Amino acid sequence: MTGIVFEGVTMLADDVAGMAEFYEHALGFEVAVREADYVALGTGAGVRLAIFRRSGMGRHTHDHPSFREPRRGQAVELNFACASPEEVRTRYAEVVARGGVAVAEPVERDWGQIAGFFADPEGNVHSLFADLPA
């Protein structure tokens, strides 16, 4: 028996095209598959990021009730590593300029990194971060 391999993350969305456009243009991911209800993005890290229409999950999950209820609260945070504190600041500004919502500007955190937080078009809050120089 082989071990389990973490292959990807699928985010559920009401506006698949809008979310895909944001991740493609604001974060630079390449679209590998683009369909009306599903988009797969290459992250360059060997992990697939997919976006799937929330209303479509019911037919794949025996109509599980969580896909019929309105979304409430944060379900997942994606963390994007940058090479330097300067890159965090630059990319944060680019993400916000391309439709991301500024949540917390990049600042040096007490855990030894610079981190900034932004929301995507559906309100999911994610971070850009880099280790601080020693």
Side-chain angles (χ1 to χ4, degrees):
M1 179 179 284
T2 62
I4 294 174
V5 175
F6 181 68
E7 178 272 337
V9 173
T10 300
M11 294 178 28
L12 302 180
D14 295 319
D15 180 5
V16 172
M19 287 282 280
E21 181 178 326
F22 174 77
Y23 282 91
E24 181 180 9
H25 298 291
L27 292 166
F29 294 163
E30 288 189 28
V31 174
V33 176
R34 188 185 310 265
E35 299 172 356
D37 290 340
Y38 175 83
V39 173
L41 300 148
T43 64
V47 176
R48 174 189 52 85
L49 174 62
I51 302 165
F52 189 75
R53 186 166 314 282
R54 179 182 314 283
S55 61
M57 281 300 289
R59 71 179 173 267
H60 299 295
T61 60
H62 304 293
D63 200 29
H64 192 276
S66 69
F67 301 113
R68 292 190 310 254
E69 300 169 359
R71 184 179 75 105
R72 295 184 314 258
Q74 183 83 9
V76 64
E77 174 193 349
L78 302 178
N79 303 293
F80 301 100
C82 298
S84 69
E86 295 76 27
E87 185 181 4
V88 170
R89 291 182 191 95
T90 299
R91 290 196 177 268
Y92 186 87
E94 290 172 354
V95 166
V96 171
R98 293 182 172 137
V101 176
V103 173
E105 297 279 330
V107 297
E108 293 183 6
R109 307 291 175 167
D110 58 0
W111 58 80
Q113 294 176 325
I114 183 171
F117 296 85
F118 66 92
D120 66 25
E122 296 224 353
N124 302 297
V125 177
H126 309 298
S127 70
L128 290 162
F129 74 94
D131 292 334
L132 292 169

